[in-house]
């Protein structure tokens, strides 16, 4: 409990900026440290947990014809998980890998659902959380249809510039749906 409270004190934005919700989640969360290249969720398995990242970076990806395709990065104060697998209890199409050592709170499906059933404020918060996930997904789809490669790069760079110092550029290129060579050309212009 002392470790959990210390992490919360140091990362006040973490756990959703609501002390009551934060306290309820902290009670069910399992504090863990994961090494670089650790799979938090593996394609083909049911992802029965999601993670609140307090330190480090994860990436969500899938394998297409032998190539990894990165679709999402999670950083400090963000959640990492495969929500479809978590909610529907089906096998995940995606894997989540740590790109550097990660410190995170792990929240299991059973504990999460018990909390939602017992605490209306937490349930309400997560309804807004799911709405935000949906909006982010729509924005990502819109970006792929309405922005060219340079515009996608500029938008992503403005949102998460720290990733360009910490994440291999091949993963960023994959996320932007461009080749590493195109990313290099864009960055050099």
């Amino acid at each position: 409990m002392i470790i959990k409270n210390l992490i919360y004190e140091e990362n006040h934005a973490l756990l959703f900026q609501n002390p009551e919700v934060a306290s309820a989640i902290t009670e069910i969360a399992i504090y863990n440290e994961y090494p670089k290249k650790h799979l938090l969720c593996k394609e083909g398995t049911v992802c029965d947990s999601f993670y609140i990242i307090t330190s480090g970076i994860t990436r969500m990806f899938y394998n297409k014809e032998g190539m990894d395709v990165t679709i999402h990065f999670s950083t400090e104060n963000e959640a990492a998980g495969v929500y479809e697998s978590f909610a529907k209890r089906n096998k995940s199409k995606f894997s989540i890998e740590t790109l550097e050592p990660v410190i995170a709170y792990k929240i299991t499906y059973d504990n999460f659902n018990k909390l939602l059933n017992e605490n209306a404020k937490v349930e309400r918060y997560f309804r807004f959380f799911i709405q935000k996930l949906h909006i982010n997904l729509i924005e990502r789809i819109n970006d792929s249809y309405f922005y060219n490669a340079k515009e996608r790069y500029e938008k992503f760079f403005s949102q998460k510039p720290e990733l360009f110092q910490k994440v291999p550029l091949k993963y960023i290129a994959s996320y932007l749906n461009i080749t590493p060579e195109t990313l290099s050309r864009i960055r050099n212009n």
Side-chain angles (χ1 to χ4, degrees), residues 160-174:
K160 294 196 174 202
E162 71 281 3
L163 292 185
F164 288 81
Q165 301 302 317
K166 297 180 174 186
V167 172
L169 292 179
K170 67 181 180 178
Y171 296 152
I172 292 173
S174 174

Side-chain angles (χ1 to χ4, degrees), residues 91-109:
K91 292 181 180 177
S92 176
K93 297 176 181 98
F94 307 102
S95 294
I96 298 176
E97 171 187 48
T98 60
L99 295 181
E100 60 185 25
V102 165
I103 299 172
Y105 286 106
K106 177 181 176 179
I107 300 173
T108 66
Y109 177 84

Side-chain angles (χ1 to χ4, degrees), residues 101-145:
V102 165
I103 299 172
Y105 286 106
K106 177 181 176 179
I107 300 173
T108 66
Y109 177 84
D110 291 337
N111 287 342
F112 181 68
N113 278 311
K114 183 178 180 207
L115 178 61
L116 291 183
N117 289 328
E118 295 173 353
N119 189 317
K121 285 188 179 183
V122 173
E123 182 182 34
R124 183 171 184 257
Y125 171 80
F126 275 97
R127 191 171 60 243
F128 291 122
F129 178 77
I130 298 302
Q131 288 173 354
K132 185 176 186 245
L133 285 177
H134 180 75
I135 290 167
N136 289 343
L137 176 61
I138 297 301
E139 287 176 355
R140 177 121 162 86
I141 292 168
N142 286 340
D143 289 352
S144 69
Y145 285 113

